[in-house]
């Protein structure tokens, strides 16, 4: 599959191009919106990864011009995470939208999913022969005496697997089974990433977790984009916990979770 990557920031473009090439993609790279439009007009491409913040024309304008030339799949790749930006991008013809920072595995999954949709033929009306559909036991290869509602294998998540269903750090209680957080009995609503950061820190309260380790465990081991997003999530967590002392910054290393009211 041949991809066009439109990204003007070399600190993002270089590792991104290397990661895509490593996973078997043929990649063309341009740094401006006008160059992207020209590449779509003159090259045989399968998909465009389009940044929005470009030095000449906005990525939204570039997408509009690309759509005049081709129905090639376009995935917008940007730091803009407001709903209105996603809506406008999709309305202008983008097929998907991914926000920085992102993991290479997520990006590749989105590329392949969009490409599959693009290649799918138009469905036609057909008659389904139910007699030819195998039974549940045949499709799942499930042993007859195995309970059909058996819990999924949690061994794929080492953090949840290692931790008990509930964990307390002072007044803070973490229910790992339901992914709910309670502070002095009152539930705190966290986003999935905020919960992930708190969960990693709570594995060993008081121990320092490096910034890179947090990024790798909560986001992805192969991530692209600024680490400032971690600082934003830490700030939001501190605000929701009501006391910034819950999460202590260890300069030049990372963060740790502590009970600020412990004697």
């Amino acid at each position: 599959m041949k991809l066009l990557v439109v990204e003007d920031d070399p600190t993002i473009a270089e590792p991104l191009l290397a990661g895509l090439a490593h996973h078997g993609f043929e990649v063309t790279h341009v740094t401006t919106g006008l160059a992207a439009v020209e590449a779509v007009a003159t090259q045989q491409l399968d998909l465009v990864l389009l940044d929005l913040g470009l030095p000449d024309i906005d990525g939204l304008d570039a997408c509009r011009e690309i759509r005049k030339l081709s129905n090639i799949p376009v995935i917008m790749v940007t730091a803009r995470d407001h709903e209105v930006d996603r809506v406008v991008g999709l309305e202008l013809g983008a097929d998907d939208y991914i926000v920085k920072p992102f993991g290479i595995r997520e990006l590749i999954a989105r590329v392949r999913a969009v490409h599959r949709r693009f290649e799918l033929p138009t469905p036609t009306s057909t008659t389904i022969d139910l007699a030819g559909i195998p039974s549940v036991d045949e499709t799942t290869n499930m042993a007859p005496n195995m309970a059909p509602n058996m819990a999924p294998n949690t061994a794929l998540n080492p953090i949840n697997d290692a931790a008990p269903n509930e964990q307390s750090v002072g007044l803070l209680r973490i229910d790992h089974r339901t992914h709910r957080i309670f502070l002095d009995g009152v539930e705190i609503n966290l986003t999935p990433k905020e919960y992930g950061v708190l969960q990693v820190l709570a594995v060993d309260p008081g121990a320092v977790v490096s910034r890179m380790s947090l990024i790798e465990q909560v986001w992805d081991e192969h991530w692209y984009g600024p680490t400032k997003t971690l600082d934003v999530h830490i700030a939001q967590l501190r605000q929701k916990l009501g006391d910034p002392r819950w999460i202590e910054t260890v300069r030049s290393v990372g963060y740790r979770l502590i009970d600020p009211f412990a004697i």
Side-chain angles (χ1 to χ4, degrees):
M1 190 187 307
K2 187 172 183 179
L3 308 181
L4 174 65
V5 174
V6 189
E7 173 60 66
D8 66 312
D9 186 344
T11 63
I12 296 177
E14 291 175 6
L16 177 56
L17 295 173
L20 290 170
H22 176 74
H23 285 83
F25 293 94
E26 184 181 351
V27 186
T28 296
H29 175 222
V30 297
T31 59
T32 66
L34 293 177
V37 175
E38 181 180 0
V40 170
T42 59
Q43 299 183 37
Q44 292 293 324
L45 301 166
D46 294 303
L47 187 141
V48 179
L49 296 174
L50 177 63
D51 185 26
L52 294 189
L54 298 171
D56 54 351
I57 63 174
D58 189 83
L60 295 173
D61 294 323
C63 183
R64 184 184 294 109
E65 294 302 314
I66 288 172
R67 276 290 163 261
K68 293 178 182 179
L69 299 171
S70 172
N71 64 346
I72 184 173
V74 175
I75 298 179
M76 290 186 172
V77 182
T78 177
R80 304 178 191 175
D81 60 352
H82 295 296
E83 181 182 9
V84 65
D85 294 313
R86 295 193 295 272
V87 171
V88 171
L90 295 171
E91 290 286 346
L92 287 177
D95 298 277
D96 202 352
Y97 194 107
I98 187 169
V99 178
K100 302 173 184 175
F102 53 86
I104 188 68
R105 288 177 295 186
E106 178 187 1
L107 178 63
I108 290 174
R110 287 175 179 265
V111 167
R112 289 174 174 162
V114 169
H115 193 253
R116 281 197 303 271
R117 295 202 303 268
F118 185 77
E119 288 189 320
L120 285 176
T122 303
T124 57
S125 177
T126 184
T127 301
I128 300 175
D129 182 6
L130 296 180
I133 300 177
S135 65
V136 173
D137 284 350
E138 291 172 331
T139 56
T140 62
N141 197 28
M142 183 180 291
N145 60 349
M146 184 177 293
N149 60 346
M150 183 180 65
N153 182 8
T154 58
L156 294 177
N157 188 335
I159 296 175
N160 282 347
D161 187 52
N165 285 341
E166 288 193 6
Q167 180 180 5
S168 295
V169 181
L171 297 175
L172 183 66
R173 181 168 64 87
I174 304 172
D175 188 330
H176 295 291
R177 185 178 62 85
T178 62
H179 283 209
R180 300 172 71 188
I181 305 293
F182 300 88
L183 182 61
D184 199 13
V186 178
E187 184 171 2
I188 301 174
N189 293 318
L190 301 182
T191 67
K193 287 293 190 289
E194 290 168 354
Y195 176 85
V197 171
L198 186 61
Q199 184 186 40
V200 172
L201 292 174
V203 168
D204 188 3
V208 180
V209 182
S210 70
R211 293 173 59 86
M212 186 57 66
S213 181
L214 281 167
I215 288 285
E216 290 177 349
Q217 293 188 64
V218 179
W219 279 266
D220 195 290
E221 59 181 332
H222 304 290
W223 57 272
Y224 300 93
T227 60
K228 184 176 176 59
T229 187
L230 174 59
D231 302 322
V232 172
H233 282 78
I234 291 290
Q236 291 172 340
L237 265 176
R238 285 170 169 162
Q239 182 178 14
K240 290 183 178 182
L241 291 173
D243 191 324
R245 295 177 300 166
W246 276 104
I247 301 177
E248 183 179 81
T249 300
V250 181
R251 188 179 299 275
S252 302
V253 181
Y255 301 95
R256 61 183 167 198
L257 179 68
I258 61 173
D259 178 6
F261 307 105
I263 298 177

